[in-house]
Amino acid sequence: MRKQYDDFTQMKLKDMCKNISDMTYTYIDPDTQKPTVVPAAHYEKILNQVQEKYMGEITSRQFLNIMFNQLNALRKEDEKYFRQALLCIDMGINPKDLRVNEQIAISYTHDYMEDKQKTEKKDFHLLSQDIIDTFNESKDNPLIQAQAINYSKEQEDLEQEDDMDYDF
């Protein structure tokens, strides 16, 4: 059974971009109750870029994924030492140089975090509330999202201008 995707991958770039634009148009924005208009040229510009440009982004995301998996595995292996190590990192303390008062403070702070997690359950976070709030605000704020996208586009344009300067 042949799917729409099979035909899509066989299209030329311009036809592909027109189809993506048409698919996007059929999405009705719940806020405005209007179709979403994205010109085909927008998709063509993205799909026509040199793939090397995205290798850095792919590498960064892969590195983040590796770090996440390692930290998550360490947390699952022994959450107590995981939290204490994070506390040491955050406080700039080397565990091998801990003084007695610092050992007591780390142990006491871990117990506090453990009690807090039991009380708050899913609302418990290792990071401070202002960091969590900043993450949520930047994730949900369309103005911040638009600024980041515009900045990224400006950087791409500057890189393209630099590339053009060296082409002759």
Side-chain angles (χ1 to χ4, degrees), residues 16-54:
M16 198 180 279
C17 294
K18 287 178 187 174
N19 276 319
I20 295 172
S21 180
D22 291 343
M23 286 186 277
T24 306
Y25 185 81
T26 62
Y27 176 76
I28 305 298
D29 186 325
D31 295 332
T32 64
Q33 295 300 312
K34 294 180 182 177
T36 305
V37 179
V38 179
H42 171 74
Y43 296 113
E44 188 171 351
K45 182 180 176 185
I46 292 170
L47 294 175
N48 212 10
Q49 287 180 347
V50 180
Q51 190 172 2
E52 294 169 5
K53 196 172 220 177
Y54 292 103

Short mmCIF file of all heavy atoms in Angstrom, two decimals, residues 16-54:
data_model
loop_
_atom_site.label_atom_id
_atom_site.label_comp_id
_atom_site.label_asym_id
_atom_site.label_seq_id
_atom_site.Cartn_x
_atom_site.Cartn_y
_atom_site.Cartn_z
N MET A 16 7.60 20.10 -3.58
CA MET A 16 7.59 19.67 -2.19
C MET A 16 7.24 20.86 -1.27
O MET A 16 6.40 20.75 -0.37
CB MET A 16 8.98 19.12 -1.83
CG MET A 16 9.03 18.27 -0.61
SD MET A 16 10.72 17.68 -0.28
CE MET A 16 10.84 16.30 -1.39
N CYS A 17 7.88 22.01 -1.53
CA CYS A 17 7.65 23.20 -0.70
C CYS A 17 6.22 23.71 -0.85
O CYS A 17 5.61 24.14 0.13
CB CYS A 17 8.66 24.28 -1.07
SG CYS A 17 10.34 23.80 -0.64
N LYS A 18 5.68 23.66 -2.05
CA LYS A 18 4.29 24.07 -2.26
C LYS A 18 3.34 23.16 -1.48
O LYS A 18 2.39 23.63 -0.86
CB LYS A 18 3.93 24.03 -3.75
CG LYS A 18 4.55 25.15 -4.55
CD LYS A 18 4.20 25.01 -6.03
CE LYS A 18 4.96 26.04 -6.84
NZ LYS A 18 4.75 25.84 -8.28
N ASN A 19 3.63 21.88 -1.50
CA ASN A 19 2.78 20.93 -0.75
C ASN A 19 2.88 21.15 0.75
O ASN A 19 1.87 21.07 1.45
CB ASN A 19 3.15 19.49 -1.11
CG ASN A 19 2.46 19.02 -2.36
OD1 ASN A 19 1.30 19.32 -2.57
ND2 ASN A 19 3.18 18.31 -3.21
N ILE A 20 4.06 21.43 1.24
CA ILE A 20 4.21 21.70 2.68
C ILE A 20 3.43 22.96 3.03
O ILE A 20 2.74 23.01 4.06
CB ILE A 20 5.70 21.85 3.08
CG1 ILE A 20 6.45 20.54 2.89
CG2 ILE A 20 5.82 22.30 4.53
CD1 ILE A 20 7.96 20.66 3.08
N SER A 21 3.53 23.97 2.19
CA SER A 21 2.80 25.21 2.42
C SER A 21 1.29 24.95 2.44
O SER A 21 0.57 25.49 3.28
CB SER A 21 3.16 26.23 1.33
OG SER A 21 2.46 27.43 1.53
N ASP A 22 0.82 24.12 1.53
CA ASP A 22 -0.60 23.77 1.49
C ASP A 22 -1.02 23.00 2.74
O ASP A 22 -2.09 23.24 3.31
CB ASP A 22 -0.94 22.95 0.24
CG ASP A 22 -0.84 23.77 -1.03
OD1 ASP A 22 -0.84 25.01 -0.94
OD2 ASP A 22 -0.75 23.15 -2.12
N MET A 23 -0.17 22.07 3.19
CA MET A 23 -0.48 21.32 4.40
C MET A 23 -0.54 22.25 5.61
O MET A 23 -1.42 22.10 6.47
CB MET A 23 0.58 20.23 4.64
CG MET A 23 0.47 19.05 3.70
SD MET A 23 1.61 17.73 4.15
CE MET A 23 3.11 18.29 3.39
N THR A 24 0.39 23.19 5.67
CA THR A 24 0.40 24.14 6.78
C THR A 24 -0.85 25.02 6.75
O THR A 24 -1.42 25.32 7.79
CB THR A 24 1.67 25.03 6.70
OG1 THR A 24 2.81 24.18 6.64
CG2 THR A 24 1.79 25.93 7.91
N TYR A 25 -1.29 25.38 5.55
CA TYR A 25 -2.47 26.24 5.41
C TYR A 25 -3.72 25.58 5.99
O TYR A 25 -4.60 26.24 6.53
CB TYR A 25 -2.70 26.58 3.93
CG TYR A 25 -3.81 27.56 3.72
CD1 TYR A 25 -3.60 28.93 3.91
CD2 TYR A 25 -5.09 27.14 3.36
CE1 TYR A 25 -4.62 29.85 3.73
CE2 TYR A 25 -6.11 28.05 3.17
CZ TYR A 25 -5.87 29.40 3.36
OH TYR A 25 -6.89 30.30 3.19
N THR A 26 -3.78 24.26 5.93
CA THR A 26 -4.97 23.57 6.43
C THR A 26 -5.05 23.52 7.95
O THR A 26 -6.07 23.14 8.50
CB THR A 26 -5.05 22.12 5.89
OG1 THR A 26 -3.92 21.39 6.35
CG2 THR A 26 -5.13 22.11 4.37
N TYR A 27 -3.97 23.96 8.63
CA TYR A 27 -4.01 24.03 10.09
C TYR A 27 -4.72 25.31 10.49
O TYR A 27 -4.27 26.42 10.17
CB TYR A 27 -2.61 23.98 10.69
CG TYR A 27 -2.62 24.15 12.19
CD1 TYR A 27 -3.01 23.11 13.02
CD2 TYR A 27 -2.27 25.37 12.79
CE1 TYR A 27 -3.04 23.26 14.41
CE2 TYR A 27 -2.29 25.53 14.16
CZ TYR A 27 -2.69 24.47 14.95
OH TYR A 27 -2.72 24.63 16.31
N ILE A 28 -5.83 25.20 11.19
CA ILE A 28 -6.58 26.36 11.66
C ILE A 28 -6.06 26.73 13.04
O ILE A 28 -6.16 25.93 13.98
CB ILE A 28 -8.10 26.06 11.73
CG1 ILE A 28 -8.63 25.57 10.37
CG2 ILE A 28 -8.87 27.28 12.22
CD1 ILE A 28 -8.49 26.55 9.24
N ASP A 29 -5.52 27.93 13.15
CA ASP A 29 -4.98 28.42 14.42
C ASP A 29 -6.13 28.56 15.42
O ASP A 29 -7.10 29.27 15.14
CB ASP A 29 -4.30 29.77 14.20
CG ASP A 29 -3.60 30.28 15.44
OD1 ASP A 29 -4.10 30.06 16.57
OD2 ASP A 29 -2.53 30.92 15.28
N PRO A 30 -6.05 27.88 16.58
CA PRO A 30 -7.15 27.95 17.54
C PRO A 30 -7.39 29.35 18.11
O PRO A 30 -8.51 29.67 18.49
CB PRO A 30 -6.73 26.99 18.66
CG PRO A 30 -5.41 26.46 18.30
CD PRO A 30 -4.97 27.01 17.01
N ASP A 31 -6.36 30.19 18.12
CA ASP A 31 -6.53 31.54 18.66
C ASP A 31 -7.22 32.47 17.68
O ASP A 31 -8.11 33.23 18.05
CB ASP A 31 -5.17 32.13 19.04
CG ASP A 31 -4.52 31.36 20.18
OD1 ASP A 31 -5.25 30.76 21.00
OD2 ASP A 31 -3.28 31.36 20.26
N THR A 32 -6.80 32.40 16.42
CA THR A 32 -7.34 33.34 15.42
C THR A 32 -8.47 32.74 14.60
O THR A 32 -9.18 33.46 13.90
CB THR A 32 -6.23 33.79 14.46
OG1 THR A 32 -5.76 32.66 13.73
CG2 THR A 32 -5.10 34.48 15.21
N GLN A 33 -8.59 31.42 14.64
CA GLN A 33 -9.57 30.68 13.83
C GLN A 33 -9.35 30.91 12.34
O GLN A 33 -10.30 30.88 11.55
CB GLN A 33 -11.01 31.06 14.23
CG GLN A 33 -11.38 30.66 15.64
CD GLN A 33 -11.27 29.15 15.86
OE1 GLN A 33 -11.76 28.36 15.06
NE2 GLN A 33 -10.59 28.76 16.91
N LYS A 34 -8.11 31.13 11.95
CA LYS A 34 -7.76 31.34 10.55
C LYS A 34 -6.72 30.30 10.13
O LYS A 34 -5.97 29.79 10.96
CB LYS A 34 -7.18 32.74 10.35
CG LYS A 34 -8.18 33.85 10.60
CD LYS A 34 -7.53 35.20 10.39
CE LYS A 34 -8.53 36.31 10.69
NZ LYS A 34 -7.91 37.63 10.56
N PRO A 35 -6.66 30.02 8.84
CA PRO A 35 -5.62 29.11 8.35
C PRO A 35 -4.23 29.70 8.58
O PRO A 35 -4.05 30.91 8.65
CB PRO A 35 -5.91 29.00 6.85
CG PRO A 35 -7.30 29.49 6.67
CD PRO A 35 -7.56 30.46 7.78
N THR A 36 -3.25 28.82 8.69
CA THR A 36 -1.87 29.24 8.90
C THR A 36 -1.20 29.43 7.56
O THR A 36 -1.07 28.48 6.79
CB THR A 36 -1.12 28.18 9.73
OG1 THR A 36 -1.86 27.95 10.94
CG2 THR A 36 0.29 28.62 10.05
N VAL A 37 -0.77 30.64 7.28
CA VAL A 37 -0.16 30.96 5.99
C VAL A 37 1.35 31.02 6.15
O VAL A 37 1.88 31.84 6.88
CB VAL A 37 -0.69 32.31 5.46
CG1 VAL A 37 -0.03 32.66 4.13
CG2 VAL A 37 -2.20 32.28 5.32
N VAL A 38 2.02 30.11 5.45
CA VAL A 38 3.48 30.11 5.38
C VAL A 38 3.83 29.95 3.90
O VAL A 38 3.48 28.94 3.29
CB VAL A 38 4.11 28.96 6.20
CG1 VAL A 38 5.63 28.99 6.08
CG2 VAL A 38 3.69 29.05 7.66
N PRO A 39 4.49 30.93 3.32
CA PRO A 39 4.80 30.85 1.89
C PRO A 39 5.74 29.68 1.58
O PRO A 39 6.60 29.33 2.39
CB PRO A 39 5.47 32.19 1.58
CG PRO A 39 5.59 32.93 2.85
CD PRO A 39 4.96 32.15 3.94
N ALA A 40 5.56 29.13 0.40
CA ALA A 40 6.40 28.01 -0.03
C ALA A 40 7.88 28.41 -0.05
O ALA A 40 8.75 27.57 0.21
CB ALA A 40 5.96 27.53 -1.41
N ALA A 41 8.15 29.68 -0.32
CA ALA A 41 9.54 30.15 -0.37
C ALA A 41 10.25 29.95 0.97
O ALA A 41 11.46 29.72 1.01
CB ALA A 41 9.57 31.62 -0.77
N HIS A 42 9.50 30.05 2.07
CA HIS A 42 10.09 29.84 3.40
C HIS A 42 10.63 28.41 3.50
O HIS A 42 11.76 28.19 3.96
CB HIS A 42 9.03 30.08 4.47
CG HIS A 42 9.44 29.69 5.85
ND1 HIS A 42 10.35 30.43 6.58
CD2 HIS A 42 9.09 28.63 6.62
CE1 HIS A 42 10.53 29.83 7.75
NE2 HIS A 42 9.79 28.74 7.80
N TYR A 43 9.83 27.44 3.09
CA TYR A 43 10.27 26.05 3.15
C TYR A 43 11.40 25.78 2.16
O TYR A 43 12.33 25.02 2.45
CB TYR A 43 9.09 25.11 2.89
CG TYR A 43 8.03 25.20 3.96
CD1 TYR A 43 6.76 25.71 3.67
CD2 TYR A 43 8.28 24.79 5.25
CE1 TYR A 43 5.79 25.79 4.65
CE2 TYR A 43 7.31 24.87 6.24
CZ TYR A 43 6.07 25.38 5.93
OH TYR A 43 5.11 25.46 6.90
N GLU A 44 11.32 26.42 1.00
CA GLU A 44 12.35 26.21 -0.01
C GLU A 44 13.70 26.71 0.50
O GLU A 44 14.72 26.06 0.31
CB GLU A 44 11.96 26.93 -1.30
CG GLU A 44 12.89 26.60 -2.45
CD GLU A 44 12.37 27.13 -3.77
OE1 GLU A 44 11.23 27.61 -3.86
OE2 GLU A 44 13.15 27.05 -4.74
N LYS A 45 13.68 27.85 1.18
CA LYS A 45 14.92 28.40 1.72
C LYS A 45 15.54 27.44 2.73
O LYS A 45 16.75 27.20 2.73
CB LYS A 45 14.64 29.76 2.38
CG LYS A 45 15.86 30.44 2.93
CD LYS A 45 15.50 31.77 3.56
CE LYS A 45 16.70 32.43 4.19
NZ LYS A 45 16.36 33.65 4.91
N ILE A 46 14.70 26.87 3.59
CA ILE A 46 15.19 25.94 4.62
C ILE A 46 15.71 24.65 3.99
O ILE A 46 16.80 24.18 4.30
CB ILE A 46 14.07 25.61 5.63
CG1 ILE A 46 13.73 26.85 6.46
CG2 ILE A 46 14.47 24.46 6.54
CD1 ILE A 46 12.49 26.71 7.31
N LEU A 47 14.92 24.07 3.09
CA LEU A 47 15.30 22.77 2.51
C LEU A 47 16.44 22.88 1.51
O LEU A 47 17.10 21.89 1.22
CB LEU A 47 14.08 22.14 1.84
CG LEU A 47 12.95 21.73 2.78
CD1 LEU A 47 11.75 21.23 2.00
CD2 LEU A 47 13.42 20.68 3.76
N ASN A 48 16.69 24.09 1.03
CA ASN A 48 17.74 24.27 0.04
C ASN A 48 19.09 24.59 0.70
O ASN A 48 20.08 24.68 0.02
CB ASN A 48 17.34 25.41 -0.90
CG ASN A 48 17.86 25.19 -2.30
OD1 ASN A 48 18.37 24.13 -2.63
ND2 ASN A 48 17.75 26.21 -3.12
N GLN A 49 19.10 24.77 2.01
CA GLN A 49 20.36 25.10 2.69
C GLN A 49 21.30 23.90 2.67
O GLN A 49 20.87 22.75 2.64
CB GLN A 49 20.09 25.50 4.14
CG GLN A 49 19.47 26.85 4.26
CD GLN A 49 19.21 27.23 5.72
OE1 GLN A 49 19.28 26.39 6.59
NE2 GLN A 49 18.91 28.49 5.95
N VAL A 50 22.55 24.21 2.74
CA VAL A 50 23.57 23.17 2.75
C VAL A 50 23.44 22.38 4.05
O VAL A 50 23.31 22.95 5.13
CB VAL A 50 24.98 23.80 2.65
CG1 VAL A 50 26.06 22.73 2.66
CG2 VAL A 50 25.06 24.65 1.39
N GLN A 51 23.49 21.08 3.94
CA GLN A 51 23.29 20.21 5.09
C GLN A 51 24.36 20.38 6.15
O GLN A 51 24.11 20.19 7.33
CB GLN A 51 23.22 18.76 4.63
CG GLN A 51 22.77 17.84 5.74
CD GLN A 51 22.51 16.44 5.25
OE1 GLN A 51 22.70 16.14 4.10
NE2 GLN A 51 22.10 15.58 6.14
N GLU A 52 25.55 20.80 5.76
CA GLU A 52 26.64 20.97 6.72
C GLU A 52 26.27 21.95 7.82
O GLU A 52 26.73 21.83 8.94
CB GLU A 52 27.89 21.47 6.01
CG GLU A 52 28.47 20.49 5.04
CD GLU A 52 29.53 21.13 4.16
OE1 GLU A 52 29.87 22.31 4.37
OE2 GLU A 52 30.02 20.44 3.26
N LYS A 53 25.42 22.92 7.48
CA LYS A 53 25.04 23.94 8.44
C LYS A 53 24.33 23.31 9.63
O LYS A 53 24.44 23.79 10.75
CB LYS A 53 24.12 24.94 7.75
CG LYS A 53 23.93 26.21 8.48
CD LYS A 53 23.18 27.16 7.60
CE LYS A 53 23.78 28.51 7.77
NZ LYS A 53 23.19 29.50 6.93
N TYR A 54 23.60 22.25 9.39
CA TYR A 54 22.84 21.62 10.45
C TYR A 54 23.65 20.58 11.23
O TYR A 54 23.20 20.10 12.26
CB TYR A 54 21.57 20.97 9.89
CG TYR A 54 20.59 22.02 9.42
CD1 TYR A 54 20.43 22.28 8.07
CD2 TYR A 54 19.86 22.76 10.33
CE1 TYR A 54 19.56 23.25 7.63
CE2 TYR A 54 18.99 23.74 9.90
CZ TYR A 54 18.84 23.98 8.56
OH TYR A 54 17.98 24.94 8.15
#
